[in-house]
Amino acid sequence: LQKEKEKEKERENERKKQEELERQQKEEQDRKKKQHEAEQEEKERIRREEEKKAREEAELREQEAQKQRQQEIEEAANKAKEEREAQLLREASKRTQEEAREMTGAKCNQSLVPQAEPNVPLAQQKPPKKV
């Protein structure tokens, strides 16, 4: 009877050891699973941050490119405006020069045509001055 009790006690101790070992293994397994999940979550968080950063950088590059295009458009418009103004000035200057030539030519032509001096006989008149 004593031996049987000892064997029973031994079996009980063995069973408890086995249960403790299984409990420890389960805890270790759970701990590893939680650690793996935490690592995956951290990787996902980093990936999302990198995607967000990449999107923001792309938006900044697009804004800079748009700003550059707008500046180029404004510069081209200003250049075209300046060229139009210069062309208008050249045309106005050309017209003014032509008008001045016409007026000068008219004056020259007038002075080249002998004018009769009033109350002086033609034979006694001096030849007109050339301009």
Side-chain angles (χ1 to χ4, degrees), residues 5 26-27 38 44 46 54 63 66 70-71 75 81-82 86 88 90 100 102 105 115:
K5 280 185 178 180
K26 186 174 183 338
E27 284 178 2
E44 183 64 21
I46 290 171
Q63 286 174 357
Q66 196 169 356
Q70 184 62 34
Q71 189 175 351
E75 287 174 359
K81 181 180 175 185
E82 288 173 4
L88 289 174
R90 284 192 296 274
E102 288 173 8
Q115 302 265 328

Side-chain angles (χ1 to χ4, degrees), residues 71-81:
Q71 189 175 351
E72 289 171 358
I73 290 169
E74 288 173 6
E75 287 174 359
N78 287 340
K79 186 176 179 184
K81 181 180 175 185

Side-chain angles (χ1 to χ4, degrees), residues 28-43:
E28 181 66 18
Q29 207 173 21
D30 289 347
R31 187 190 63 75
K32 284 182 179 179
K33 184 178 177 184
K34 283 182 182 177
Q35 182 180 356
H36 179 71
E37 288 172 357
E39 288 171 355
Q40 291 301 105
E41 287 175 11
E42 180 66 11
K43 285 179 184 177

Side-chain angles (χ1 to χ4, degrees), residues 10-11 44 98 122:
E10 207 175 292
R11 282 193 295 258
E44 183 64 21
E98 288 173 359
L122 282 176

Side-chain angles (χ1 to χ4, degrees), residues 50 52-63:
E50 288 174 349
K52 181 181 177 185
K53 185 177 177 183
R55 276 193 310 274
E56 289 171 352
E57 288 174 355
E59 286 174 10
L60 279 175
R61 282 193 304 274
E62 178 56 31
Q63 286 174 357

Side-chain angles (χ1 to χ4, degrees), residues 5 11 13 27 50 65 91 95 100 105 107 121 123 129-130:
K5 280 185 178 180
R11 282 193 295 258
N13 284 343
E27 284 178 2
E50 288 174 349
E91 290 172 4
R95 279 195 305 272
K107 286 181 182 173
K129 296 178 184 173
K130 294 187 179 181

